[in-house]
Amino acid sequence: MDSIAFDRQYPLNDLISDIKAGNRRALSKAISMAESSLDIDRKATEDVLEALLPYTGSAKRIGITGSPGVGKSTFIESFGLACIEQGEKVAVLAIDPSSQSHGGSILGDKVRMPLLARSEHAYIRPSPSRLTLGGVSNATREALLLCEAAGFTTIIIETVGVGQSEVEVRSITDAFLLLMLPNAGDEVQGIKRGIMELADMMFINKADGQLLPLAEIAKGQVQSALTLMHSPTDGWDVPVIMGSGLEQQGIQELLGICNAFFDDSASHHQALLDRRSKQAEEWFEVALHRELLHWAEHQTSWNVEKQAFLHDIHQKHIVPSMAARKLIGKLFSN
Amino acid sequence: MDSIAFDRQYPLNDLISDIKAGNRRALSKAISMAESSLDIDRKATEDVLEALLPYTGSAKRIGITGSPGVGKSTFIESFGLACIEQGEKVAVLAIDPSSQSHGGSILGDKVRMPLLARSEHAYIRPSPSRLTLGGVSNATREALLLCEAAGFTTIIIETVGVGQSEVEVRSITDAFLLLMLPNAGDEVQGIKRGIMELADMMFINKADGQLLPLAEIAKGQVQSALTLMHSPTDGWDVPVIMGSGLEQQGIQELLGICNAFFDDSASHHQALLDRRSKQAEEWFEVALHRELLHWAEHQTSWNVEKQAFLHDIHQKHIVPSMAARKLIGKLFSN
């Protein structure tokens, strides 16, 4: 499925300086390399990242989730344009675990956020999330750094809310925004407590017209549910905002809250710094497991031994957990 | 947190023969050993499992899930007693990811299934599910085998429906039963399609009294949703049954369907055999990763190198993915 993204006609030094200059074609090329599992691409990605590392880390990393039908695309378009109006450059990385097979749909993203896609201050990219060992794909973390190096100051990581992906997106972002429908009780019950506890801010979308009274009720219910929960960010009270992505209501209010959240002088700022450190350590752990396995799989007789043990497992001569211990002992005892 | 489960005063040979004789105290002791991560317990568990392996594999392994409030305990009690009436011995392993910290609640299980807990043909055990690398805990898989060796012919693995745990329980069972509430549209929408697609059978619980008409509607909706999905078991059509755990309605019907599902001569029987093979392979893979990491962490200078790279990561001198590759290359290149 993989094809080589690295292009010999496009020297890495040029690619690196093009990314630093904010060239979106260069950025896309580098993200494609980061998404590839081919050795040549991995190597090139690491060289690029090494050169660009000093230029990363300063963006606001915002995760956004919500049930299907909550109006995520329209909301992100409104919110993204509002960010641009206040001078930001906005990158949107969309993680869709269900698009694994067909590898995302760039065209789809351009259609669903037409104004944002046309802005020269925005960059939209679906991130085919291979659900790898340990959760969020390495590629998404690397794409985020590449966007930062390319000068994007707000990176939105969007996920369709299907189970595990919210936790993954939370694990690579500073702020996490949960979009909700003005469905009062049903919606509040439908969203798992575990997901609500991840959110730094809640936005009740579609709170316009006939739905406004329902949104008011929902807001009250969410606020009372929040009194029973811990904020994911020490020192930050989780706000609940009503609005409409379509009617561009509540967007400015939310933007103000976002700016407050990222205020360097706020008392909770240390919590954001701690979160970044912890995220870097988690990434390192996951990468270590992956690289270790990759190394082991390339050892002589790994496959032969594995097949032999598998045979014994299927013959019910050995329990898988014990087979694993014996295989590792046999190959790597020292 | 771990304390030694292995008891020098209780020789493994005695333990093994006691388990084979169906002694529940011996079974509990062995499951406690399987849940421990101490080397002495791991070794003892493997010896016990090796001796008991020939006596495992013949039980019906049934996973049961459903939202909080669906009436799981009452249902499992009714269903378990019905199994016992047809001559089965029933073990219930309850997986509760949220009970990680306080390690399950054996007393709680006895209270919530009082009749089943008192039956000499039943065994109920909460399985503290450490959410380990790769999902379902090794301990639960091993507990399942131990229950089989102790002569239990139906093993029910119960999970509170919180996200990932359904997938884990599906991955160690033959049949998966989803309990639903007679809430018509809301319920069907609330249960994620991904969860519905895991189920071999659906039981609409609390379908009695005033809720009966709603249950009928829900049944129709579930059935029409099912027409758009693939059955998880090739050759088996997913049935939707209405009933009540509390009123013991629909339980006999479900039991009959269960018996048909496990009928050796049925055309889908091969699918069950294939599923078991695949599950053994998955278990082996997960165990391999765990043992490999365990081995690596005990290598000289693993921790020293790890700390050094972590320092560089925090100083932003290196990207975590690259640090991981360098560490593995440095320690294990050959």
Side-chain angles (χ1 to χ4, degrees):
Chain A
M1 209 177 88
D2 267 324
S3 61
I4 299 178
F6 173 69
D7 180 357
R8 286 182 200 287
Q9 307 298 313
Y10 194 171
L12 287 187
N13 280 341
D14 293 352
L15 180 67
I16 290 164
S17 50
D18 287 350
I19 292 172
K20 274 160 66 179
N23 179 317
R24 284 183 286 186
R25 194 182 138 256
L27 176 59
S28 291
K29 166 66 85 182
I31 293 179
S32 295
M33 288 187 334
E35 286 169 353
S36 161
S37 58
L38 297 175
D39 274 348
I40 186 172
D41 288 324
R42 288 300 321 146
K43 186 76 190 58
T45 304
E46 289 185 359
D47 289 346
V48 170
L49 281 172
E50 187 174 17
L52 293 176
L53 196 54
Y55 308 96
T56 65
S58 56
K60 303 168 186 171
R61 303 170 179 174
I62 304 175
I64 296 182
T65 194
S67 313
V70 75
K72 264 193 301 293
S73 305
T74 310
F75 169 84
I76 291 175
E77 178 151 272
S78 285
F79 182 71
L81 290 170
C83 288
I84 289 169
E85 268 171 44
Q86 75 169 13
E88 307 267 350
K89 287 187 67 185
V90 176
V92 180
L93 302 173
I95 295 185
D96 180 359
S98 63
S99 77
Q100 240 175 318
S101 46
H102 52 82
S105 52
I106 299 190
L107 246 177
D109 280 322
K110 297 220 161 125
V111 171
R112 68 193 179 91
M113 301 175 197
L115 298 175
L116 202 58
R118 246 181 284 143
S119 166
E120 57 175 326
H121 304 293
Y123 176 77
I124 305 177
R125 166 104 184 187
S127 178
S129 77
R130 307 211 179 113
L131 289 178
T132 45
L133 189 75
V136 81
S137 89
N138 204 52
T140 305
R141 299 182 194 258
E142 292 179 344
L144 196 156
L145 295 181
L146 291 165
C147 288
E148 290 182 336
F152 290 94
T153 55
T154 288
I155 322 275
I156 294 172
I157 319 255
E158 172 197 8
T159 176
V160 286
V162 271
Q164 190 59 11
S165 61
E166 294 94 342
V167 179
E168 296 172 12
V169 169
R170 165 81 277 184
S171 76
I172 60 172
T173 51
D174 305 311
F176 196 66
L177 170 63
L178 177 60
L179 298 182
M180 305 180 85
L181 285 169
N183 281 353
D186 291 346
E187 174 76 353
V188 179
Q189 285 179 8
I191 292 177
K192 297 209 167 103
R193 185 190 162 101
I195 302 300
M196 286 185 72
E197 282 181 334
L198 299 176
D200 293 307
M201 34 197 103
M202 316 254 186
F203 188 85
I204 301 177
N205 199 20
K206 301 190 180 178
D208 49 23
Q210 291 180 318
L211 291 176
L212 198 52
L214 275 179
E216 297 274 10
I217 298 172
K219 182 179 175 177
Q221 289 180 329
V222 173
Q223 280 173 329
S224 88
L226 283 175
T227 59
L228 304 171
M229 298 181 192
H230 289 287
S231 166
T233 307
D234 278 349
W236 170 259
D237 287 332
V238 178
V240 184
I241 303 120
M242 293 193 304
S244 161
L246 190 64
E247 307 285 338
Q248 289 163 47
Q249 284 167 15
I251 301 292
Q252 286 303 326
E253 186 188 352
L254 179 65
L255 194 59
I257 283 172
C258 242
N259 292 339
F261 184 82
F262 284 100
D263 180 355
D264 285 0
S265 62
S267 61
H268 64 273
H269 184 62
Q270 186 58 43
L272 298 193
L273 298 179
D274 294 345
R275 174 173 286 153
R276 285 243 178 140
S277 292
K278 195 162 156 271
Q279 290 175 348
E281 290 179 21
E282 286 166 357
W283 183 7
F284 185 45
E285 285 291 339
V286 172
L288 265 182
H289 297 184
R290 191 189 54 241
E291 292 296 337
L292 181 63
L293 188 63
H294 186 255
W295 166 81
E297 285 171 347
H298 285 79
Q299 296 309 297
T300 324
S301 64
W302 171 272
N303 277 320
V304 174
E305 289 293 345
K306 207 173 140 180
Q307 290 310 315
F309 276 108
L310 262 179
H311 179 265
D312 285 353
I313 287 169
H314 287 312
Q315 296 295 314
K316 283 190 56 182
H317 293 153
I318 192 167
V319 179
S321 49
M322 191 168 177
R325 196 143 101 140
K326 284 198 168 174
L327 190 154
I328 300 298
K330 194 168 173 183
L331 287 192
F332 303 130
S333 73
N334 44 3
Chain B
M1 209 178 88
D2 266 327
S3 60
I4 299 178
F6 174 68
D7 180 357
R8 286 181 201 285
Q9 306 299 315
Y10 194 171
L12 288 186
N13 280 341
D14 293 351
L15 181 68
I16 290 165
S17 50
D18 287 350
I19 292 172
K20 274 161 66 178
N23 179 316
R24 285 182 285 184
R25 195 182 136 254
L27 175 59
S28 291
K29 165 68 84 181
I31 293 178
S32 295
M33 288 186 337
E35 286 169 353
S36 161
S37 59
L38 298 175
D39 273 349
I40 186 172
D41 288 324
R42 287 302 319 147
K43 186 74 189 60
T45 305
E46 289 185 359
D47 289 346
V48 170
L49 281 172
E50 187 174 19
L52 292 176
L53 195 55
Y55 308 97
T56 65
S58 56
K60 303 168 184 169
R61 303 171 180 172
I62 305 174
I64 296 183
T65 194
S67 312
V70 75
K72 265 195 299 294
S73 305
T74 310
F75 169 83
I76 291 175
E77 176 151 273
S78 286
F79 182 71
L81 290 171
C83 289
I84 289 170
E85 267 170 47
Q86 75 168 14
E88 307 267 351
K89 285 187 70 185
V90 176
V92 181
L93 302 173
I95 294 184
D96 179 0
S98 63
S99 78
Q100 242 175 317
S101 45
H102 52 83
S105 52
I106 298 192
L107 248 178
D109 280 322
K110 297 220 161 130
V111 171
R112 68 194 180 88
M113 302 177 197
L115 297 175
L116 202 58
R118 246 181 284 144
S119 166
E120 58 175 326
H121 303 293
Y123 175 78
I124 305 176
R125 167 106 184 185
S127 180
S129 77
R130 310 212 177 112
L131 289 178
T132 45
L133 188 76
V136 81
S137 87
N138 204 51
T140 305
R141 299 183 195 257
E142 293 179 342
L144 197 156
L145 295 181
L146 290 167
C147 288
E148 290 182 335
F152 290 94
T153 55
T154 289
I155 321 276
I156 293 172
I157 319 256
E158 173 197 8
T159 176
V160 286
V162 270
Q164 189 61 9
S165 62
E166 294 93 341
V167 179
E168 296 172 11
V169 169
R170 165 83 275 183
S171 77
I172 60 171
T173 50
D174 305 310
F176 197 65
L177 170 64
L178 177 61
L179 298 183
M180 305 180 85
L181 284 169
N183 282 353
D186 291 345
E187 173 76 354
V188 179
Q189 284 179 9
I191 293 177
K192 297 211 164 103
R193 186 191 161 101
I195 302 299
M196 286 185 73
E197 282 181 333
L198 299 176
D200 293 306
M201 35 197 102
M202 315 256 189
F203 189 84
I204 301 177
N205 200 19
K206 302 190 179 177
D208 47 25
Q210 290 180 320
L211 292 175
L212 198 53
L214 276 178
E216 297 273 9
I217 298 171
K219 181 180 176 177
Q221 288 179 331
V222 174
Q223 281 174 328
S224 88
L226 283 174
T227 59
L228 304 170
M229 298 182 192
H230 288 288
S231 166
T233 307
D234 278 350
W236 169 259
D237 287 332
V238 178
V240 185
I241 303 121
M242 291 193 306
S244 161
L246 190 64
E247 306 286 336
Q248 289 165 46
Q249 284 167 13
I251 301 292
Q252 285 304 324
E253 186 189 352
L254 179 64
L255 193 60
I257 284 172
C258 241
N259 291 337
F261 185 82
F262 283 101
D263 180 356
D264 285 1
S265 62
S267 61
H268 64 273
H269 183 62
Q270 186 59 43
L272 298 193
L273 297 179
D274 293 346
R275 173 173 287 153
R276 285 246 178 138
S277 293
K278 196 163 153 272
Q279 290 175 348
E281 289 179 22
E282 287 166 357
W283 183 7
F284 185 45
E285 285 291 339
V286 172
L288 265 181
H289 297 184
R290 190 189 55 239
E291 293 295 337
L292 181 63
L293 189 63
H294 186 256
W295 166 80
E297 286 171 348
H298 285 80
Q299 296 309 296
T300 323
S301 63
W302 172 271
N303 277 319
V304 174
E305 289 294 344
K306 208 174 138 181
Q307 290 310 316
F309 276 109
L310 262 179
H311 179 265
D312 285 354
I313 288 168
H314 287 312
Q315 296 296 314
K316 281 189 61 181
H317 294 152
I318 191 166
V319 180
S321 49
M322 191 168 178
R325 196 143 98 142
K326 285 199 167 171
L327 189 155
I328 300 296
K330 194 166 172 185
L331 287 192
F332 303 130
S333 74
N334 42 5

